[in-house]
Amino acid sequence: MPHFFLRQYAVVLCAVILSNCSWAQSPAPAAPPAPPADLDSYVARSMKTFDVPGLSVAIVKDGKVLVAKGYGVRKLGDSIPVDEHTMFGIGSNTKAFTTAALATLVDGGKLSWDDPVYQRLPGFVMYDPYVSHEMTVRDLLTHRSGMGLGEGDLLFWPQSTYTREEIIYKLRFMKPASSFRSRYAYDNLLYMTAGQIIPAVTGVSWDDYIRQHIFVPLHMNNSNVSNAAFRPGDDYAFPHSRVDGKLQVISLEVLDNAGPAGAINSCASDMARWVQLQLNQGKFVDREGRLFSEGQSHEMWSPQTILPTNPPPPALSGLKTDFVDYALGWGLRSYHGRKLVGHTGGVAGFVSRVMLVPDENLGVVVLTNAEDGGAFDSILYHVLDHYFNLSPTDWIAAYKAVKDAEEKDAAETMKKAEGDRAADSKPSLPRKICWRLQGRLVRPHHHPNGKRGLGHYFRSHADYDRRPTALAVRHFQSPLAHPHD
């Protein structure tokens, strides 16, 4: 009997030892699921359909960069290819960098999201004295100030010589379009203003703070805060726009005086690092330490301004969402039961998309050197459907159908406008300028309230259920359309 118990004890002891030796029992971590097998061909078809000379894609899954590559060419007519290091203007995807920079100051106790702006930025004055006193840092970032859509953007676009300080001073002369905190209206000037709180608090410019506290720690070596820094031979894409019906290379626009709202240039490999950090809630993936706390990550992804959930066009009915919100530098919506955290960006000749799916530990980036959002969104949802295990949808055809309908509607509106114009009237501007306005600024758009009109065609950056609207960065109305409410 004693020998029996001894043998039993030995068996149990061995089992306990082996169970505690994880190295002896645990298999190697499973590799993240591969990206769509047809990704390259799908991207190529999207580029051809939407006439995009070049783009780059990054996919991050479970903390790993699965894709960071370029497609097409940097410049129409040239053969130099886009690669993972080619820089594109990311437009309003810059806004999330500005909020992350502010989050580091909140973590450091140097700032609070709910600090009154005038206490942090001496001389800050809005049109309404009450708003001047009550506006907080959070209000600067959530598009609910009462200013109209794109109010004041002509102070920096087309390129102007105004400084950031001069533009902030002019806020006091801009009459509000609605009451404070009552309505969403996308703006850029207040994001620029928020960026100027950084030098007011730290003594370091927004530009240098982004370099030192975000680009350097993340090893984003192919990113900058101004295309004025580009030199011949640098790896950057050229902007393209449709002028008089034909896609053409256009000049780079320097937006330094609006920097915190949309001036960053970056590439697929660097944006993949940014997405890794975001999905890891501010913690570096390759070492100990954080850029910002988990609490600030939660704050930046929390709803701040509620938007209507208008139904998408019939061709895009699969994008119906349960909610649409603007957070701090990010837009929020749902897609097949998952919360999406994302933003789009647009500057002349470039549009881009960054999308995070925290529940799936998934991030997707698409950067393009043209102005058609159908290209980046068709690629985005193809990737999401793959990882969500959904039945395939031909998003390229769906977005093309919506684009064709919009352009047809815009042509009819223009035709009607020509008929309503006085026959003996003449342009008040030189013909060359009028041609440029017609070729580069007039595009069909939908406003979130369902109205149609003409303007520079980009989508609102918080508009994640594909409701096209005028981008506030360069919002113009045609002579036919009154300014939207």
Side-chain angles (χ1 to χ4, degrees):
M1 288 292 290
H3 293 291
F4 171 77
F5 284 118
L6 235 99
R7 285 196 299 273
Q8 290 291 90
Y9 175 77
V11 170
V12 171
L13 183 62
C14 286
V16 170
I17 291 171
L18 288 174
S19 68
N20 284 305
C21 294
S22 57
W23 55 269
Q25 297 291 323
S26 300
D38 66 343
L39 180 64
D40 290 351
S41 60
Y42 198 89
V43 169
R45 185 162 71 91
S46 179
M47 292 172 65
K48 182 177 180 180
T49 300
F50 297 106
D51 203 7
V52 177
L55 61 77
S56 61
V57 176
I59 300 175
V60 174
K61 182 74 171 79
D62 299 334
K64 304 294 184 183
V65 179
L66 302 186
V67 175
K69 65 184 298 186
Y71 299 85
V73 295
R74 299 186 208 168
K75 182 180 180 181
L76 195 64
D78 284 359
S79 60
I80 302 175
V82 172
D83 60 29
E84 70 273 25
H85 303 303
T86 302
M87 288 181 281
F88 294 75
I90 68 168
S92 284
N93 282 303
T94 299
K95 289 178 169 66
F97 286 81
T98 296
T99 58
L102 291 167
T104 66
L105 298 179
V106 176
D107 278 335
K110 298 178 180 179
L111 188 70
S112 166
W113 297 114
D114 297 310
D115 283 346
V117 177
Y118 77 88
Q119 291 182 0
R120 295 298 185 178
L121 199 61
F124 172 81
V125 176
M126 296 291 285
Y127 185 91
D128 186 329
Y130 173 80
V131 177
S132 301
H133 188 268
E134 294 298 317
M135 183 170 287
T136 65
V137 176
R138 187 187 305 273
D139 290 321
L140 294 176
L141 305 170
T142 50
H143 308 299
R144 61 188 188 191
S145 68
M147 292 169 61
L149 174 65
E151 181 71 34
D153 286 345
L154 287 175
L155 291 170
F156 65 84
W157 189 90
Q159 185 177 340
S160 77
T161 58
Y162 290 121
T163 66
R164 293 174 193 171
E165 291 76 15
E166 288 172 333
I167 293 174
I168 291 172
Y169 179 83
K170 294 178 185 297
L171 288 170
R172 68 194 65 199
F173 305 118
M174 299 179 191
K175 189 175 181 179
S178 64
S179 58
F180 186 42
R181 295 177 182 154
S182 69
R183 185 177 299 177
Y184 173 90
Y186 194 88
D187 78 83
N188 293 288
L189 296 196
L190 296 184
Y191 257 86
M192 183 271 287
T193 303
Q196 288 304 97
I197 290 176
I198 293 172
V201 171
T202 67
V204 178
S205 69
W206 172 84
D207 314 67
D208 287 341
Y209 197 91
I210 294 294
R211 293 187 195 100
Q212 296 167 12
H213 293 268
I214 298 182
F215 291 169
V216 170
L218 289 179
H219 307 297
M220 295 178 67
N221 300 323
N222 294 287
S223 300
N224 64 40
V225 295
S226 172
N227 53 32
F230 289 155
R231 297 292 179 266
D234 287 352
D235 190 354
Y236 65 89
F238 287 76
H240 298 79
S241 185
R242 195 164 294 282
V243 180
D244 210 22
K246 181 181 178 182
L247 192 69
Q248 297 184 22
V249 179
I250 61 173
S251 300
L252 287 163
E253 290 184 351
V254 178
L255 297 173
D256 292 358
N257 51 1
I264 287 177
N265 301 286
S266 192
C267 63
S269 60
D270 282 5
M271 291 300 289
R273 294 183 177 94
W274 171 244
V275 166
Q276 283 180 305
L277 177 90
Q278 288 289 336
L279 290 171
N280 211 29
Q281 297 185 302
K283 188 177 184 299
F284 299 117
V285 296
D286 58 349
R287 63 189 187 278
E288 292 299 315
R290 287 182 165 275
L291 188 66
F292 49 80
S293 67
E294 185 175 341
Q296 294 311 319
S297 173
H298 176 78
E299 190 74 20
M300 288 185 282
W301 292 356
S302 295
Q304 306 290 329
T305 304
I306 299 173
L307 280 74
T309 55
N310 295 338
L316 301 173
S317 59
L319 300 184
K320 184 178 179 181
T321 181
D322 296 321
F323 59 86
V324 181
D325 304 302
Y326 199 85
L328 299 178
W330 296 97
L332 311 175
R333 64 154 300 193
S334 65
Y335 181 61
H336 287 274
R338 283 84 159 181
K339 175 182 178 180
L340 304 186
V341 180
H343 217 284
T344 60
V347 292
F350 298 102
V351 293
S352 58
R353 162 74 84 178
V354 177
M355 187 65 80
L356 312 174
V357 191
D359 292 343
E360 300 288 339
N361 202 9
L362 171 67
V364 182
V365 178
V366 185
L367 311 176
T368 80
N369 62 356
E371 296 177 345
D372 200 316
F376 64 60
D377 269 338
S378 59
I379 295 167
L380 166 70
Y381 285 104
H382 184 66
V383 173
L384 294 190
D385 288 353
H386 168 76
Y387 283 106
F388 290 9
N389 293 314
L390 301 176
S391 299
T393 294
D394 189 347
W395 292 111
I396 297 173
Y399 278 104
K400 182 64 164 60
V402 171
K403 177 184 178 181
D404 290 346
E406 290 170 350
E407 290 183 347
K408 180 181 178 182
D409 185 58
E412 291 172 355
T413 303
M414 289 292 288
K415 185 177 180 180
K416 182 179 183 301
E418 287 295 321
D420 292 342
R421 183 173 69 86
D424 59 348
S425 65
K426 295 181 180 180
S428 58
L429 297 173
R431 184 177 300 275
K432 182 178 180 181
I433 296 177
C434 292
W435 172 82
R436 182 174 183 267
L437 290 173
Q438 181 180 3
R440 287 192 50 200
L441 300 181
V442 178
R443 301 285 191 275
H445 71 261
H446 291 176
H447 193 266
N449 63 15
K451 296 179 182 177
R452 281 176 176 266
L454 296 175
H456 191 86
Y457 177 61
F458 282 107
R459 286 189 302 129
S460 165
H461 296 325
D463 184 23
Y464 291 102
D465 56 345
R466 190 52 170 119
R467 294 190 307 275
T469 185
L471 169 66
V473 167
R474 296 183 308 284
H475 179 69
F476 278 76
Q477 299 296 331
S478 79
L480 314 174
H482 60 79
H484 291 307
D485 297 330

